[in-house]
Amino acid sequence: MSPGSFVFSSKALRSLQLDEDMLERHDYKRRMASHHLLSYALKKEARDRTPLRANVAPRPYVCRDVVIQNALYTGNLEAMQRLFPRGSSAGLIIEPQGGEMRWVARGEGLWSLTYEQELTTPLHITAGRGFTECLRLLLQRGASVDLAPGGITALHESCVRCEPECTRLLLVHGADANAVSDDGHMPLHLCSNPESFECAKHLLQYGAAINARTADEDDTPLHVAARNGLTDHVELYLRYGAAADKKNHEGLTPLNAACSQPQELQDLQRYLGLCRILMKAGADIRSMDQDRRTPLHMACKNANADLVELLLANGASVNEMDYGGEAPMHNILKVVCYKLAHSPERVVRALLNHGSIRVWPGALPKVLKHCSQSPRTIEVLLNAYSQLKVTDTWVESVPPEVFEEHREFYESVFSLARTPRSLQHLSRCKLRVFLEGRLDKVVPRLDLPTIIKNYLLLDYRGYIH
């Protein structure tokens, strides 16, 4: 026996033989697919015209003919008119040939390579690819509009693929706008991107349930739209009576879902506008999920400064603790180094100006190490204290490369080890303590120069004094 070989057991040899037999059968099916189209169509038409018992719907049969499949997948209307002549039925279930191969257990410890297959119908294929005329032909030939051999209907498929004309055509022909897929979703739950807006409109016009829940997450369509930042969908659903404060199984309202969704820099304004719409519709800004996290906790975690300011201006609780004992300030400080482009210092500033708890002074070196790449965040934090005990630990907390990049700022911080805070800063701290909890409302109304107002509200100067 060669070093690179091994002994096959009898079961292994039998499994390999089964694989060979399966591949031979597959080649035979491919050869059979070349039979004459007209013969196939005539047999199919005769079968469709066989008398049936009253009130018994014709049972769809499985079609493996690659010629019919090619006509469907390419939207070849002329070929489909030949394959589905007048009087014929389009009640087929398609079992595609080919695709990926996978190992499947055959019993007695044997495994065999088998092509992955997913049952579908001609309606699914044409509706999902936007072949409107082909879809119309199939519907005229009596295709079952709500057939779901793969677990979803053709209407689900057209909504997933954002094909509004196909969606409308299916609904006109009686498709159930509230059909539930095997995974517990109605078509409206699958309208999850901006291009699906017209599909959502058609569904609602044909009676889609606006507050229907998914089976797994207990989401309403409004949850889906809010989570995906779909402002137009949210406005549409609210006009149709969507409930703004329904909670899913995690305790998330649509507002919570929107605030908690990870947001890139280009997404911030979109989610801000969406949350403003939800709040105008009556969404509760103090609503908590099952971990007692509020929209403010989540907006801070995403470092969406404008959204944080909006929530605070409308009465969000700045010091609410979640089940982990963390306030919104904790959430923003944990993500500063990952959200530098989001201007995290604006979030910290807004929280402090609305009365947020401050960092325990003993933990400042740890915060300094974690947030040192954002000098403005450090500046805002340190300016909330009238006195600071700067030690060598502070110096060691700032990486050398960060210190070199922001040398002027960190030299001003470390100089506090030898110099007390300025009288100007001490006056600011005294006034802030006096106005605590009212800073955001009182300071803008004071008859003072704008530069002084900004100074009181912890504006940035690029150094500590």
Side-chain angles (χ1 to χ4, degrees):
M1 183 182 299
S2 65
S5 64
F6 60 94
V7 178
F8 279 94
S9 66
S10 59
K11 287 187 176 181
L13 290 172
R14 183 179 175 188
S15 179
L16 290 172
Q17 182 62 48
L18 287 172
D19 291 345
E20 184 177 356
D21 293 342
M22 184 275 297
L23 291 172
E24 288 179 359
R25 289 196 300 272
H26 180 67
D27 289 338
Y28 174 76
K29 289 178 181 178
R30 287 183 177 275
R31 291 195 300 271
M32 291 297 293
S34 61
H35 283 181
H36 199 274
L37 290 178
L38 182 59
S39 173
Y40 181 93
L42 289 174
K43 290 179 181 178
K44 177 173 164 302
E45 183 177 1
R47 196 178 298 118
D48 291 337
R49 290 179 175 179
T50 303
L52 299 172
R53 288 176 296 173
N55 299 323
V56 178
R59 183 178 180 181
Y61 61 90
V62 176
C63 170
R64 299 182 178 88
D65 193 312
V66 294
V67 178
I68 288 182
Q69 292 182 26
N70 286 339
L72 291 168
Y73 281 109
T74 59
N76 190 333
L77 181 60
E78 184 178 348
M80 289 181 60
Q81 288 171 337
R82 294 196 307 269
L83 293 167
F84 300 98
R86 291 184 181 277
S88 65
S89 171
L92 305 176
I93 292 177
I94 304 295
E95 185 178 345
Q97 297 296 315
E100 299 287 334
M101 296 194 75
R102 59 189 175 116
W103 289 97
V104 176
R106 295 296 186 187
E108 299 181 3
L110 299 177
W111 290 75
S112 179
L113 277 172
T114 304
Y115 283 100
E116 286 187 3
Q117 296 175 342
E118 183 176 341
L119 296 180
T120 185
T121 72
L123 288 189
H124 286 72
I125 296 169
T126 53
R129 285 162 176 75
F131 300 146
T132 309
E133 293 306 316
C134 296
L135 179 63
R136 181 176 286 108
L137 174 70
L138 293 168
L139 291 168
Q140 291 170 350
R141 298 297 184 265
S144 178
V145 74
D146 287 325
L147 193 62
I152 63 172
T153 67
L155 187 59
H156 285 92
E157 187 75 21
S158 69
C159 291
V160 169
R161 304 286 185 174
C162 305
E163 297 294 345
E165 283 305 309
C166 292
T167 297
R168 185 191 63 80
L169 190 58
L170 289 166
L171 290 166
V172 168
H173 282 79
D176 183 1
N178 294 310
V180 181
S181 65
D182 282 357
D183 56 3
H185 290 77
M186 294 182 185
L188 200 57
H189 293 123
L190 303 180
C191 296
S192 57
N193 56 58
E195 292 74 26
S196 66
F197 179 68
E198 292 298 323
C199 292
K201 283 177 63 176
H202 292 318
L203 289 168
L204 290 169
Q205 289 167 359
Y206 280 83
I210 190 60
N211 289 313
R213 305 297 193 104
T214 60
D216 51 356
E217 301 290 338
D218 213 23
D219 282 337
T220 66
L222 191 59
H223 280 93
V224 175
R227 184 178 296 114
N228 289 283
L230 306 179
T231 304
D232 291 339
H233 290 63
V234 167
E235 289 181 321
L236 175 68
Y237 296 166
L238 290 171
R239 288 201 302 271
Y240 271 83
D245 279 331
K246 292 279 188 181
K247 289 190 175 185
N248 65 12
H249 86 287
E250 292 182 345
L252 294 171
T253 66
L255 179 61
N256 294 72
C259 291
S260 64
Q261 186 69 8
Q263 299 163 20
E264 298 300 328
L265 188 61
Q266 65 272 16
D267 300 327
L268 298 181
Q269 289 302 308
R270 181 157 51 92
Y271 279 94
L272 170 67
L274 187 150
C275 291
R276 185 177 282 118
I277 292 168
L278 288 171
M279 291 165 61
K280 188 177 180 180
D284 182 5
I285 61 173
R286 297 196 176 203
S287 176
M288 300 178 184
D289 66 5
Q290 60 186 10
D291 294 319
R292 291 187 59 83
R293 293 174 299 189
T294 65
L296 185 59
H297 283 93
M298 300 163 182
C300 288
K301 189 173 182 179
N302 279 318
N304 191 331
D306 289 324
L307 181 53
V308 167
E309 291 174 357
L310 176 67
L311 292 168
L312 289 170
N314 284 273
S317 178
V318 71
N319 288 319
E320 191 72 53
M321 297 287 185
D322 63 17
Y323 273 138
E326 295 187 338
M329 180 64 80
H330 294 94
N331 281 0
I332 180 60
L333 292 180
K334 288 194 297 185
V335 302
V336 165
C337 59
Y338 310 111
K339 300 283 188 178
L340 296 176
H342 291 57
S343 300
E345 67 274 5
R346 287 184 54 203
V347 177
V348 174
R349 180 178 178 231
L351 293 174
L352 289 172
N353 286 337
H354 283 79
S356 171
I357 56 172
R358 298 177 298 173
V359 178
W360 175 57
L364 284 173
K366 183 177 180 181
V367 174
L368 189 62
K369 181 178 181 179
H370 189 70
C371 305
S372 60
Q373 294 181 51
S374 177
R376 283 190 166 187
T377 299
I378 300 299
E379 180 183 351
V380 171
L381 282 172
L382 298 186
N383 281 336
Y385 300 85
S386 59
Q387 296 179 359
L388 291 170
K389 187 177 180 180
V390 178
T391 64
D392 291 343
T393 306
W394 287 48
V395 179
E396 295 166 359
S397 298
V398 181
E401 63 277 11
V402 176
F403 176 82
E404 288 300 324
E405 184 179 355
H406 306 286
R407 174 182 286 272
E408 182 179 356
F409 172 75
Y410 283 111
E411 283 182 345
S412 73
V413 172
F414 300 149
S415 70
L416 295 179
R418 305 178 302 276
T419 309
R421 301 303 298 264
S422 69
L423 182 60
Q424 186 182 41
H425 171 71
L426 294 175
S427 300
R428 169 171 62 181
C429 289
K430 193 69 174 178
L431 187 55
R432 285 180 62 86
V433 171
F434 178 74
L435 296 175
E436 188 170 1
R438 300 174 292 156
L439 276 163
D440 60 302
K441 295 180 177 64
V442 174
V443 172
R445 299 170 60 184
L446 293 177
D447 187 17
L448 293 172
T450 301
I451 190 171
I452 300 299
K453 293 180 183 179
N454 291 340
Y455 181 75
L456 290 172
L457 294 174
L458 305 179
D459 202 7
Y460 326 108
R461 292 195 168 187
Y463 59 90
I464 297 291
H465 66 97

